[in-house]
Amino acid sequence: VVNLSGWSPPGAGAPRVNADHQAIGRLAAEHLLSLGLRNFGYYGIEGPWFSAAREQGFVRRLHEVLLPCAVFRQAAAGGPSLPWHRRHAKLGRWLSALPKPVGILAVHDYRARVVVELCARLGLAMPEQVAVLGVDNDPTTCDYCVPSLSSVSRDPFACGVAAARLLDGLMTGQPAPQRDTLVPPEGVVQRRSTDRFYDDDPVVRRVVAYAAAHAG
């Protein structure tokens, strides 16, 4: 048996192949930093280990360049059934209070899409005020967001190859590894939700926006 779930911390149960979740967080931070942003937020979920690991990688990379990061952790599904607007009311207040412009990493694409839809309801312009980055690069979610959603690809093909290689070794009598087999992320697939350069100077921002609007 080879486990592919990232819900629980390492070290328990069957041998496991997993995405390098801390590396995903660091890669996301590098992407948002490259846009010139100086305000950041992480939107995660309580419970799953992979969410905490992505948060840790993201926040640590920002702390290395002396930049703070606001964190919002939402309870995992399973509570009382609530209408959509009530279930995400606290998240909406958190988004509204963040200094703008802000770059946000959501734990995965579905949660990033929630941020996109909340920004539309709150009148927050994307990507001018809020740049959003998801994880998984799910084409259905990413391409049908408005604006389309940038995302970190976990490289699921490489995870499958690593799992097959590990399983083959186990079946030929090799000892089970004591640590998770970690697969590095493939990279950031940029779409409209982070397609912007940010600068502290409002004049520079206007020049960049004009150049983008009149390119060619």
Side-chain angles (χ1 to χ4, degrees):
V1 173
V2 173
N3 181 16
L4 289 168
S5 170
W7 191 272
S8 301
R16 183 164 73 167
V17 171
N18 233 250
D20 189 337
H21 299 292
Q22 289 202 29
I24 287 172
R26 292 184 65 87
L27 183 63
E30 293 286 0
H31 176 69
L32 294 176
L33 284 168
S34 74
L35 306 179
L37 287 160
R38 289 297 177 265
N39 303 308
F40 301 92
Y42 178 79
Y43 169 32
I45 43 180
E46 294 177 350
W49 167 76
F50 68 83
S51 179
R54 291 174 189 180
E55 175 188 327
Q56 189 175 57
F58 187 67
V59 172
R60 279 184 176 177
R61 180 65 189 101
L62 295 173
H63 284 178
E64 287 172 5
V65 291
L66 306 179
L67 291 172
C69 179
V71 174
F72 182 88
R73 302 183 192 96
Q74 194 162 36
S81 179
L82 295 172
W84 193 93
H85 67 282
R86 289 185 58 192
R87 184 163 67 250
H88 298 299
K90 289 183 180 179
L91 175 62
R93 290 193 291 271
W94 179 74
L95 286 171
S96 296
L98 292 173
K100 311 295 188 303
V102 61
I104 296 174
L105 171 63
V107 61
H108 49 59
D109 290 338
Y110 168 73
R111 299 283 174 168
R113 182 165 185 160
V114 170
V115 173
V116 171
E117 293 178 0
L118 272 175
C119 285
R121 283 172 171 255
L122 296 167
L124 298 173
M126 294 182 60
E128 291 80 6
Q129 292 177 283
V130 182
V132 180
L133 185 61
V135 179
D136 287 339
N137 192 38
D138 172 43
T140 303
T141 302
C142 295
D143 290 337
Y144 288 95
C145 277
V146 180
S148 57
L149 179 65
S150 299
S151 185
V152 180
S153 172
R154 293 189 298 158
D155 202 349
F157 185 88
C159 288
V161 171
R165 185 177 291 118
L166 175 57
L167 185 61
D168 180 62
L170 294 171
M171 293 172 70
T172 55
Q174 296 178 16
Q178 298 301 307
R179 297 183 179 180
D180 286 358
T181 300
L182 297 180
V183 178
E186 188 174 19
V188 173
V189 179
Q190 185 172 31
R191 297 181 179 87
R192 284 285 300 128
S193 70
T194 63
D195 186 15
R196 192 172 181 86
F197 177 76
Y198 303 84
D199 191 275
D200 291 338
D201 189 326
V203 176
V204 174
R205 290 201 299 270
R206 286 169 54 199
V207 170
V208 171
Y210 184 89
H214 297 83

